[in-house]
Amino acid sequence: MSLNLATVHADQVSLNALVQNLVYASGTVGAIMVVVGLLMIDAGTTRSKNLLTSTIEKLMGFFIGFTVYFMIGFALWAAQYYIIEDATLGDSIADWWLGGGMVNARAHEVSPDVFPGLNTFQIFVFFLACFAGIINVLLHFAVAERMKAAAYFILCIAATLASSALSWATWGSVGPLTNPGFHDFFGVGFVYLFPAGMALVLVPRLGARPGMFAPHPKVPSYNAPSIGLAATGLMTIFAGLPMVILSCLFFFDPEALAVSVTMANTSVGIAFNNYGLAWAGGAISGLMIAYKTRNYAYTLLGPLAGYVAGASGFDVYLPWQMFLVSLGAPVAAWAVYEFTLRRGIDEHKLFPLFLGAGSYGLIMLGIFQAGTPRGGYLGIEDGAYAFQHGQIGIMMQVVGTLACIGAGALTALIVGVALEKTIGLRVAEDEQADGLDQLNWDIEHDGDAIVLSPSE
């Protein structure tokens, strides 16, 4: 198809538009770096006889989520912005499912009167599809080494659909929970609390891994192979997330006025500094807890807890407030971590970080920033979607937190029960002890090394 310059809509492909395109494209790079970091953490903390299987399942879970999101997930999230224009969910799906008109249109051929900034919105599909995949990777941390691969992959499809619908309600500025006042800058609710809610249902059904809490005849103890690799993964995530933060901002005239995805007043510098201080505060408290308890795990959990607790409010906190909140986050994670250990609950990542630090952060946001205006959409001056008509408040933070956890639990309950009654959820304990790499891929291990057959 030849290019007819007479039909080019210049505003769609201006230099200013390109700069915004690059900002959101960088967010996709940051999201992929997060995936790399998560895989490194997994490689450093997963039993060596299961590592190949765990890596493959996480990668496939990521791509299943990514694909399903392109198919229909983005259309569900984008529907909130169609509704404020008196359009419908059906209109959003018609435009933004994989075969939709806007997904398959070239930006310079679409009038800004029809859809302004089309390139940016198209890039946003890729960006959010990465996080749909990340949700599945996070879920796998809770069920790894004991759930059947087929069951996990089916759960990935269900999780992507349910979390996409949840993001419509809880992440943005005009959804049914965000418009009245629920504030979540980074998507803590639908990215972190949702898979943790799923884990609440799935982990008790799967039980503990051999050797985790008591010696097993084949697994005397469960040992992490490389904490150094896990720490490197932690820093890889730290390096990728600043680009993701940029992609959680909307930019309007004049030039590059930053407004958060919730339509709250913010700035790039404030959001970045809050992000850094969240890691720092969490790292300091985590270090103190680690030495006090003689448990090295808190040196990794600490900075992650600070980040997760602060992520919902990177846009609205003042830096000193962010630092104070992040100092308390590892304490919340520690309380949940110790609770699960004492009760033999084999889930040491999602529960302390997300149910503990994530919920704590959302509640603290409702306290520190109560009354902060946000919600609606820029340019709408009156009515139900007027710009910044809603305010942050503790009640809506509690409601949103419970809704995200509950959505995950309900999804896992419905799909998990169906899987239990059909293909099954759990790998047999003896097979877990022997190692899933041998079960699934006929691969033997000699210590930490993989032994390949002559044909391989």
Side-chain angles (χ1 to χ4, degrees):
M1 181 182 295
S2 62
L3 176 64
N4 183 357
L5 293 178
T7 64
V8 169
H9 295 278
D11 288 347
Q12 296 279 42
V13 288
S14 65
L15 181 59
N16 182 58
L18 177 60
V19 171
Q20 291 210 26
N21 298 161
L22 293 175
V23 165
Y24 291 105
S26 74
T28 67
V29 177
I32 293 170
M33 289 182 66
V34 170
V35 176
V36 174
L38 290 172
L39 292 176
M40 294 172 73
I41 290 174
D42 185 55
T45 57
T46 297
R47 184 171 162 238
S48 59
K49 289 188 175 183
N50 297 325
L51 181 54
L52 177 64
T53 294
S54 184
T55 300
I56 289 173
E57 289 179 357
K58 280 183 172 66
L59 276 176
M60 292 304 101
F62 173 83
F63 284 116
I64 288 171
F66 188 91
T67 302
V68 173
Y69 197 84
F70 256 95
M71 291 293 296
I72 192 66
F74 186 80
L76 300 179
W77 176 79
Q80 61 184 295
Y81 298 105
Y82 277 63
I83 292 171
I84 66 174
E85 298 290 341
D86 295 324
T88 65
L89 172 62
D91 295 324
S92 180
I93 292 174
D95 282 347
W96 292 105
W97 77 285
L98 184 57
M102 292 298 103
V103 171
N104 293 283
R106 298 177 180 86
H108 63 269
E109 297 175 351
V110 176
S111 169
D113 295 333
V114 175
F115 206 105
L118 181 59
N119 267 330
T120 295
F121 230 66
Q122 288 175 336
I123 294 169
F124 217 59
V125 183
F126 191 114
F127 171 70
L128 287 178
C130 287
F131 277 90
I134 287 172
I135 290 169
N136 290 339
V137 173
L138 294 173
L139 172 63
H140 193 265
F141 274 104
V143 302
E145 305 178 84
R146 47 198 156 153
M147 177 176 279
K148 293 181 177 180
Y152 168 66
F153 294 148
I154 292 171
L155 278 165
C156 285
I157 297 172
T160 303
L161 294 172
S163 64
S164 298
L166 182 64
S167 69
W168 159 74
T170 62
W171 192 68
S173 61
V174 291
L177 288 178
T178 54
N179 194 52
F182 178 62
H183 188 92
D184 184 3
F185 170 72
F186 208 74
V188 170
F190 82 94
V191 176
Y192 300 148
L193 295 187
F194 174 81
M198 293 186 72
L200 279 174
V201 173
L202 296 171
V203 168
R205 284 173 160 74
L206 295 171
R209 288 164 287 184
M212 180 58 68
F213 295 110
H216 184 277
K218 297 180 180 179
V219 189
S221 63
Y222 190 101
N223 300 314
S226 176
I227 296 303
L229 183 58
T232 304
L234 181 76
M235 293 307 295
T236 301
I237 294 172
F238 183 54
L241 284 172
M243 292 178 281
V244 179
I245 288 175
L246 276 178
S247 295
C248 292
L249 299 171
F250 287 169
F251 297 95
F252 297 101
D253 289 332
E255 294 297 333
L257 173 66
V259 179
S260 76
V261 69
T262 66
M263 295 293 133
N265 291 338
T266 188
S267 68
V268 174
I270 286 289
F272 266 56
N273 284 344
N274 282 338
Y275 167 67
L277 286 169
W279 282 85
I284 290 171
S285 289
L287 183 66
M288 291 190 292
I289 293 173
Y291 276 97
K292 178 68 176 178
T293 62
R294 299 176 64 85
N295 186 343
Y296 68 85
Y298 293 110
T299 61
L300 298 180
L301 283 175
L304 283 171
Y307 151 70
V308 172
S312 56
F314 286 157
D315 55 336
V316 294
Y317 278 125
L318 298 177
W320 68 267
Q321 294 173 328
M322 182 75 272
F323 188 66
L324 288 179
V325 170
S326 66
L327 284 173
V331 178
W334 167 79
V336 176
Y337 189 96
E338 294 299 323
F339 178 88
T340 58
L341 281 181
R342 288 194 296 269
R343 286 157 180 79
I345 300 171
D346 186 6
E347 209 304 297
H348 313 309
K349 297 181 178 73
L350 272 63
F351 288 172
L353 285 176
F354 302 158
L355 295 184
S359 298
Y360 156 82
L362 284 164
I363 302 306
M364 287 299 102
L365 181 59
I367 295 173
F368 273 85
Q369 290 296 320
T372 300
R374 27 77 66 230
Y377 199 80
L378 189 67
I380 301 178
E381 298 181 356
D382 52 43
Y385 302 108
F387 179 61
Q388 293 188 344
H389 73 282
Q391 295 183 348
I392 297 175
I394 186 66
M395 184 58 67
M396 283 305 301
Q397 293 304 104
V398 171
V399 169
T401 299
L402 294 177
C404 293
I405 297 171
L410 182 62
T411 301
L413 183 63
I414 294 172
V415 181
V417 168
L419 291 171
E420 275 185 321
K421 295 183 179 299
T422 51
I423 64 174
L425 279 177
R426 187 173 182 268
V427 176
E429 185 172 305
D430 280 344
E431 292 176 336
Q432 291 184 47
D434 290 335
L436 300 188
D437 291 354
Q438 181 181 16
L439 175 67
N440 294 327
W441 306 103
D442 197 25
I443 287 178
E444 297 286 346
H445 287 261
D446 181 12
D448 291 334
I450 293 177
V451 179
L452 300 176
S453 68
S455 63
E456 296 174 304

